[in-house]
Amino acid sequence: MAIDCMRNIPTMLPKPNQLASIDDQNKPFVFDASFLSTQSKVPQEFIWPDNDQPSTNFFLEDLPVPLLDLQGFLSGNPEATLEASKLVREACLEHGFFLVVNHGVSDNLVKNAHKMMDEFFEQPLAQKQKAQRKLGEHCGYASSFTGRFSCNLPWKETLSFQSSTHESSSSPKKTVQEYFTNTLGHNFDHLGKVYQEYCEAMSQLSLSIMELLGLSLGVGRQHFKEFFQGNESVMRLNYYPPCQRPDLTLGTGPHCDPTSLTILHQDQVGGLQVFVEDKWRPISPNFNAFVVNIGDTFTALSNDRYKSCLHRAVTNNEKPRKSLAFFLCPSKGKVVKPPSELVDEENQRVYPDFTWPMLLEFTQKHYRADMNTLKAFSKWVQLQQHRDDNQIMEIN
């Protein structure tokens, strides 16, 4: 799935609590979770093709995901560090998913982050729409991306916001906190404080994982850590309301993350599934663990040694599901290219140089993320470079 279901977002939004049909002027309807979660008839826009629809008729065996205990690594134990890097390598060569425990992130912080998520998504739709995501932007409130796509819509609401640790930021330590205050008002200051702290913890954890990824690839523990210092990442709150027809819908469609690294914390409901060996396999919730997976940007950084893996989220008809997703992204000026140690005669460059804003623009304006995003993006970059070269030749 690429741009087939994409469409422009008009500036006028429909009134709250309405599910309006797409009219001749291409106005999007609003995904009102409080209403739709009780309806037995699912709007056509949310019904996925037969080959993508989840089966609810049989038991799916859990995906065996390596469990990394980071305590020894974080305390500087050489043997524990070596063992952790081996487990990371095995996971990334197989499917790119692993769990981390004893990660140093406070249980209370995680609990508060989930609690604040409940508080936001339980707000009236009109209140949430104060943070409405705008055309071409990747941050803000989105009700099922109804303004962006016209078919195969995800059964979810999200709130995404930037988490910047870049030194040039005007107030790098309060980026998230300022977002909540400026967008939603001072009544949401307490949410901003919690998510500011949570994002800082996620950034620190992601840099530690980058050390292990560097060791696992033989380029040293500092290479990728230094590359992601001053990262400009994205935090997303996911809310999947109940659906009376979970056999027809998906909370999130099949895709590979275009970002570098995802650190996910699930509630206890479950719904994450990974496509391995032609089968969808769930990863059951574990409150003490974060689910980590590599994304397309890191696939390029590793010169295709580690490949991002197709995954999705399914719905259920009983209770809402929530998750916290931190997407590690390099700062805007960093050029994504593999270290020299990963390029030789037998392992030629697979992807062209690019920056994260280039890939972000591609997925926001030209392509709907799926399992072929990186391949399609590479062709797009090469085409853009070819056009630029031709323009230079014409000028000369």
Side-chain angles (χ1 to χ4, degrees):
M1 177 196 333
I3 59 175
D4 297 355
C5 296
M6 297 186 74
R7 58 187 173 84
N8 293 328
I9 308 174
T11 55
M12 179 182 290
L13 290 171
K15 295 179 180 180
N17 299 321
Q18 283 186 335
L19 183 65
S21 299
I22 301 173
D23 60 17
D24 294 336
Q25 296 181 356
N26 203 27
K27 295 179 182 178
F29 55 71
V30 170
F31 179 78
D32 187 348
S34 62
F35 170 74
L36 284 173
S37 62
T38 63
Q39 302 303 300
S40 58
K41 185 177 180 180
V42 175
Q44 184 63 39
E45 290 82 0
F46 295 90
I47 298 177
W48 284 71
D50 291 345
N51 60 323
D52 284 326
Q53 291 175 5
S55 176
T56 57
N57 296 326
F58 60 90
F59 173 77
L60 295 178
E61 184 179 358
D62 265 22
L63 179 69
V65 183
L67 183 68
L68 273 68
D69 187 333
L70 295 183
Q71 186 171 14
F73 163 69
L74 293 175
S75 63
N77 185 306
E79 293 181 357
T81 298
L82 180 61
E83 179 63 22
S85 67
K86 287 181 178 179
L87 287 174
V88 166
R89 180 175 178 80
E90 291 173 3
C92 290
L93 288 174
E94 186 173 0
H95 47 58
F97 278 78
F98 52 92
L99 304 178
V100 295
V101 294
N102 292 323
H103 36 66
V105 181
S106 163
D107 286 350
N108 285 334
L109 177 58
V110 176
K111 290 178 181 177
N112 284 336
H114 277 280
K115 181 180 179 181
M116 296 300 101
M117 187 159 40
D118 289 337
E119 184 170 338
F120 174 78
F121 286 111
E122 288 172 0
Q123 294 291 319
L125 184 59
Q127 177 63 47
K128 290 181 286 189
Q129 286 181 324
K130 290 182 178 180
Q132 186 71 43
R133 188 172 175 172
K134 297 179 181 178
L135 173 64
E137 295 184 358
H138 64 284
C139 291
Y141 169 73
S143 56
S144 180
F145 304 131
T146 54
R148 231 182 124 202
F149 308 122
S150 59
C151 64
N152 299 341
L153 294 178
W155 194 267
K156 68 175 179 179
E157 296 177 88
T158 63
L159 179 67
S160 307
F161 42 92
Q162 193 83 22
S163 170
S164 175
T165 60
H166 200 280
E167 294 179 358
S168 64
S169 299
S170 60
S171 183
K173 293 184 180 180
K174 296 182 180 180
T175 304
V176 175
Q177 192 170 332
E178 289 179 352
Y179 171 81
F180 275 84
T181 300
N182 295 337
T183 306
L184 295 167
H186 287 288
N187 289 337
F188 292 84
D189 283 353
H190 57 298
L191 275 74
K193 291 179 181 178
V194 169
Y195 289 121
Q196 179 71 55
E197 184 180 354
Y198 187 86
C199 287
E200 290 171 1
M202 290 299 100
S203 179
Q204 186 63 42
L205 177 58
S206 65
L207 293 180
S208 297
I209 295 172
M210 281 296 155
E211 291 187 58
L212 290 174
L213 285 167
L215 288 169
S216 74
L217 285 165
V219 300
R221 65 190 299 167
Q222 293 301 316
H223 180 86
F224 294 123
K225 179 181 180 180
E226 291 177 356
F227 182 81
F228 285 99
Q229 291 282 4
N231 60 84
E232 298 179 35
S233 301
V234 177
M235 182 71 206
R236 177 170 295 167
L237 315 181
N238 295 309
Y239 175 79
Y240 304 91
C243 177
Q244 300 308 309
R245 292 300 305 273
D247 57 317
L248 300 178
T249 60
L250 287 172
T252 300
H255 70 286
C256 297
D257 294 336
T259 48
S260 301
L261 190 79
T262 302
I263 304 179
L264 180 79
H265 194 276
Q266 308 184 78
D267 65 8
Q268 296 304 301
V269 176
L272 173 63
Q273 295 183 349
V274 182
F275 195 69
V276 178
E277 297 179 350
D278 295 324
K279 295 180 181 178
W280 285 107
R281 307 282 294 276
I283 297 181
S284 294
N286 178 346
F287 179 82
N288 296 317
F290 287 103
V291 182
V292 181
N293 68 277
I294 62 170
D296 288 338
T297 300
F298 194 84
T299 293
L301 283 170
S302 72
N303 201 30
D304 220 32
R305 304 289 180 89
Y306 293 169
K307 294 180 174 63
S308 52
C309 192
L310 195 67
H311 56 284
R312 70 183 186 183
V314 298
T315 61
N316 73 85
N317 58 7
E318 296 180 359
K319 57 179 68 175
R321 173 180 178 259
K322 288 154 285 187
S323 67
L324 300 156
F326 179 84
F327 300 102
L328 178 68
C329 309
S331 60
K332 296 176 181 178
K334 292 287 182 73
V335 177
V336 177
K337 60 181 180 179
S340 58
E341 294 93 330
L342 300 180
V343 182
D344 53 39
E345 291 184 1
E346 295 182 0
N347 299 280
Q348 297 292 321
R349 283 286 299 272
V350 179
Y351 307 104
D353 289 357
F354 65 90
T355 62
W356 165 241
M358 292 169 63
L359 179 53
L360 179 62
E361 177 190 355
F362 181 70
T363 58
Q364 295 300 308
K365 297 181 180 180
H366 307 289
Y367 194 89
R368 186 172 182 176
D370 61 11
M371 64 185 298
N372 298 311
T373 302
L374 191 55
K375 183 179 179 180
F377 171 68
S378 296
K379 292 181 178 179
W380 182 76
V381 170
Q382 292 167 349
L383 179 61
Q384 298 293 108
Q385 291 174 344
H386 180 68
R387 288 176 177 173
D388 291 343
D389 291 343
N390 286 341
Q391 289 178 355
I392 293 174
M393 291 179 62
E394 290 175 1
I395 293 174
N396 294 334

